[in-house]
Amino acid sequence: MKWDWSAVSDFMPHLWDGLLVTLQILALGSLVSFVLGLVWALLMRVPSRFVTWPVGAVTEFVRNTPLLVQLFFLFYVLPEWGVTASALTTGVLAIGLHYSTYTMQVYRAGIEAVPVGQWEAATALNLPVGRTWTAVILPQAIRRVVPALGNYVISMLKDTPLLMAITVLEMLGEARLFSQQNFQFTEPLTVIGVAFIVISYLASLALRALERRLAH
């Protein structure tokens, strides 16, 4: 086997195209998972089985079924019911929904880790419920769970290639298309492997910096 640097050079424009799509999926998917996960966590604290039971059932179902199955369902089944979206939008929603069931548990642990005294102090100050959550509980809870949330961002990054199954051309999709067209597989697949390692490493450095900043 001979390494062909010209193949690497030819693939680079495709890599940048795929990288932009990958980062877009990662950013939007993370946003969906963080926001929706917090919503799930707050709903699970509502003192009513009519709320907690459906939320628990939905999140357990989503967490215990493969992401690829959910992608296929959203992309191929929902259009039969009249619900359509682009492949990229479907992929973002699928990843965000899937990982929201994990971030929900992270938020739950963070909320439960807030000392009881903080709740009692908010009650003693006669703070409204909304103010108690936004000014006292959630700031402390989120600060505690940043490392775990960051780990899920890296996991989402590594799951973005699954979107190739619904025609989204992220990095692996671009590499596969280039390889099939040029019959060169080693170079593009190696390049995207290195790209994933670099992005994951940079993300971990950013996470550590954020942890240090929140610790002060």
Side-chain angles (χ1 to χ4, degrees), residues 18-29 157 160 170-171 199:
L19 176 61
L20 290 176
V21 174
T22 295
L23 294 179
Q24 185 178 0
I25 295 167
L26 181 62
L28 295 177
L157 170 66
T160 56
E170 39 64 64
M171 287 196 293
I199 297 171

Side-chain angles (χ1 to χ4, degrees), residues 114-128 131-132 135-137 140:
V114 175
V116 176
Q118 298 295 314
W119 296 89
E120 295 173 345
T123 302
L125 291 172
N126 200 28
L127 292 179
R131 183 65 175 168
T132 298
V136 180
I137 305 304
Q140 296 182 62

Side-chain angles (χ1 to χ4, degrees), residues 8-60:
V8 175
S9 178
D10 292 340
F11 175 63
M12 291 308 293
H14 301 277
L15 172 65
W16 298 129
D17 291 340
L19 176 61
L20 290 176
V21 174
T22 295
L23 294 179
Q24 185 178 0
I25 295 167
L26 181 62
L28 295 177
S30 297
L31 179 62
V32 171
S33 70
F34 292 164
V35 173
L36 192 54
L38 181 57
V39 171
W40 296 141
L42 295 177
L43 288 176
M44 288 298 291
R45 295 186 66 86
V46 173
S48 171
R49 289 186 178 182
F50 293 104
V51 175
T52 58
W53 190 89
V55 171
V58 169
T59 54
E60 282 297 317

Side-chain angles (χ1 to χ4, degrees), residues 50-164:
F50 293 104
V51 175
T52 58
W53 190 89
V55 171
V58 169
T59 54
E60 282 297 317
F61 176 80
V62 172
R63 184 165 58 246
N64 290 292
T65 53
L67 175 56
L68 188 58
V69 173
Q70 295 166 18
L71 281 168
F72 282 155
F73 184 88
L74 293 176
F75 191 67
Y76 294 110
V77 177
L78 288 188
E80 296 182 2
W81 298 350
V83 181
T84 59
S86 68
L88 181 60
T89 300
T90 301
V92 167
L93 292 177
I95 283 186
L97 174 62
H98 185 80
Y99 275 93
S100 72
T101 62
Y102 293 96
T103 59
M104 175 191 76
Q105 298 297 335
V106 173
Y107 285 124
R108 180 189 60 78
I111 291 170
E112 292 179 354
V114 175
V116 176
Q118 298 295 314
W119 296 89
E120 295 173 345
T123 302
L125 291 172
N126 200 28
L127 292 179
V129 174
R131 183 65 175 168
T132 298
W133 278 101
T134 58
V136 180
I137 305 304
L138 289 181
Q140 296 182 62
I142 292 175
R143 186 179 296 112
R144 296 168 186 271
V145 301
V146 165
L149 293 177
N151 289 335
Y152 282 122
V153 171
I154 296 175
S155 295
M156 275 186 269
L157 170 66
K158 292 187 287 187
D159 275 346
T160 56
L162 291 176
L163 272 63
M164 181 179 61

